[in-house]
Amino acid sequence: MKVVFLGTAAGRPTRERSLPCIALQFEGETILFDCGENAQRQMISVVSPSKIGRIFISHFHGDHYLGLGGLLQTMSLNKRETPLSIYGPQGTIEYLKHYFASGHFGVRFDISLFEMGEATIEEELYSIRSFPVDHGVPTIGFVFEEKEKRGRFLEKKAKSLGIRGRLFSDIEEKGQIEIDGRVITLEEVTGPPRKGRKVVYSADTLPCQRVVEMAHHCDMLIHEGTYLNDEDRHGTYHTTVSEACEIAKKAGVKTLVLTHVSQRYEEEEIKEEAEKWLPGTVIARDLMEIEM
Ligand SMILES: [Zn+2]
Ligand SMILES: [Zn+2]
């Protein structure tokens, strides 16, 4: 499982930072969170558009979705046939229908649009849950959670019961096998189930209690850290670096990754501020990859 930061700027791009886009790669599938302008160019040699099955848009401020058009065009030029699902907050269907109706857009594969407020998508190996945050316009955050995995094989025990070679895959597939008339269950030869990994992404928001709740004990919280102080925030619906650190502390997250940083600061300044409040905080950079 890998998280790739394709764009980490706020509002407008800089030489070093493209607009918000995060790719989560999991078991051969790529899930995209936000798709700012230039997202498809950032993907070159890093993320294959053909592997993207789902795109989640946090909200419809231009910096978070205007890369969709170009990406979909490229998918179509690549002769994509696999359907694509796009999810977003209230208004998604109307906004995207207008967007796709502009010019000779001509995308030739099926796109399904979904609006999510508080909702959960269940897959065999993971779930994705959306929750509203506080950004002045309909905006949602996302929780990606891997399903609980079976415990590791207790190899010594398994071998002492006569399990060897192909029998390991047999018991895994069937849940139990019989050796010399004795039934051995998978639970007998595996440790306790392992908790799945959990990644939470909250894009633009004022500090929000819902994020604290949803990010509870997650492995990674990706949070905006647009400003360094309230003066710079100037009444906008964004979070400062210190506030994002406080949220991560309250939620007890393992790793906080700050993204959506304002172009007015040097990365060093942001790093310094974050170190003051939550040592070990990661400041996302374009094309940064975090293996989990
Ligand atoms: Zn933004
Ligand atoms: Zn916004």
Side-chain angles (χ1 to χ4, degrees):
M1 178 164 155
K2 193 158 74 171
V3 178
V4 186
F5 294 85
L6 293 165
T8 58
R12 63 195 79 139
T14 67
R15 242 175 213 291
E16 291 78 29
R17 293 182 188 274
S18 190
L19 290 168
C21 183
I22 295 165
L24 191 150
Q25 297 177 319
F26 179 73
E27 300 283 340
E29 183 186 351
T30 298
I31 302 161
L32 219 59
F33 293 96
D34 283 335
C35 189
E37 179 197 335
N38 201 41
Q40 62 162 331
R41 190 157 190 272
Q42 295 291 86
M43 284 178 201
I44 295 173
S45 310
V46 184
V47 168
S48 164
S50 67
K51 301 256 168 69
I52 300 169
R54 291 186 157 128
I55 300 177
F56 291 85
I57 302 293
S58 62
H59 66 300
F60 283 85
H61 279 151
D63 53 332
H64 293 258
Y65 82 97
L66 288 175
L68 263 182
L71 176 63
L72 300 184
Q73 285 282 298
T74 297
M75 286 174 167
S76 196
L77 287 172
N78 290 347
K79 302 204 172 0
R80 180 183 177 113
E81 286 177 2
T82 325
L84 177 76
S85 300
I86 303 177
Y87 306 80
Q90 178 205 334
T92 295
I93 294 174
E94 189 198 338
Y95 298 150
L96 288 184
K97 277 196 169 157
H98 280 300
Y99 185 51
F100 298 157
S102 69
H104 304 279
F105 200 65
V107 165
R108 286 180 293 275
F109 56 91
D110 287 335
I111 299 174
S112 307
L113 304 176
F114 302 93
E115 293 184 0
M116 301 173 89
E118 189 99 31
T120 307
I121 295 165
E122 294 284 355
E123 279 292 320
E124 197 190 326
L125 297 176
Y126 64 84
S127 65
I128 296 177
R129 186 168 169 188
S130 63
F131 61 96
V133 293
D134 186 8
H135 189 48
V137 298
T139 303
I140 48 180
F142 305 99
V143 181
F144 172 93
E145 195 163 13
E146 191 184 13
K147 297 259 162 93
E148 202 174 70
K149 293 178 287 188
R150 73 151 176 77
R152 291 182 207 286
F153 265 110
L154 307 169
E155 218 169 310
K156 263 194 190 155
K157 189 168 181 200
K159 282 184 175 159
S160 74
L161 292 170
I163 299 177
R164 303 226 143 56
R166 227 199 56 230
L167 291 176
F168 275 102
S169 46
D170 277 3
I171 193 167
E172 195 171 6
E173 262 168 45
K174 295 173 193 155
Q176 59 177 53
I177 50 169
E178 205 181 305
I179 299 177
D180 301 331
R182 182 192 186 294
V183 174
I184 302 163
T185 64
L186 185 59
E187 289 73 35
E188 277 181 73
V189 292
T190 50
R194 288 171 291 162
K195 228 178 129 260
R197 289 158 289 190
K198 180 173 159 187
V199 179
V200 178
Y201 170 49
S202 172
D204 302 8
T205 183
L206 270 172
C208 177
Q209 182 56 28
R210 284 309 304 278
V211 179
V212 177
E213 289 157 17
M214 301 310 280
H216 183 71
H217 287 179
C218 69
D219 296 279
M220 188 193 291
L221 169 63
I222 303 165
H223 200 289
E224 72 136 292
T226 311
Y227 295 116
L228 287 184
N229 54 61
D230 195 44
E231 228 179 327
D232 288 351
R233 169 163 52 197
H234 202 67
T236 59
Y237 287 76
H238 289 286
T239 301
T240 65
V241 169
S242 62
E243 287 165 346
C245 291
E246 279 305 312
I247 287 166
K249 277 201 268 190
K250 276 191 205 155
V253 314
K254 254 191 217 151
T255 305
L256 169 65
V257 182
L258 292 177
T259 187
H260 199 274
V261 296
S262 167
Q263 79 285 347
R264 72 183 70 197
Y265 313 117
E266 295 294 330
E267 192 180 311
E268 252 334 285
E269 291 177 83
I270 304 166
K271 181 85 198 147
E272 241 171 61
E273 174 77 357
E275 274 305 306
K276 266 201 310 216
W277 297 92
L278 184 62
T281 296
V282 177
I283 316 300
R285 274 193 196 145
D286 278 22
L287 304 180
M288 177 187 269
E289 296 185 3
I290 300 182
E291 195 84 50
M292 298 183 71

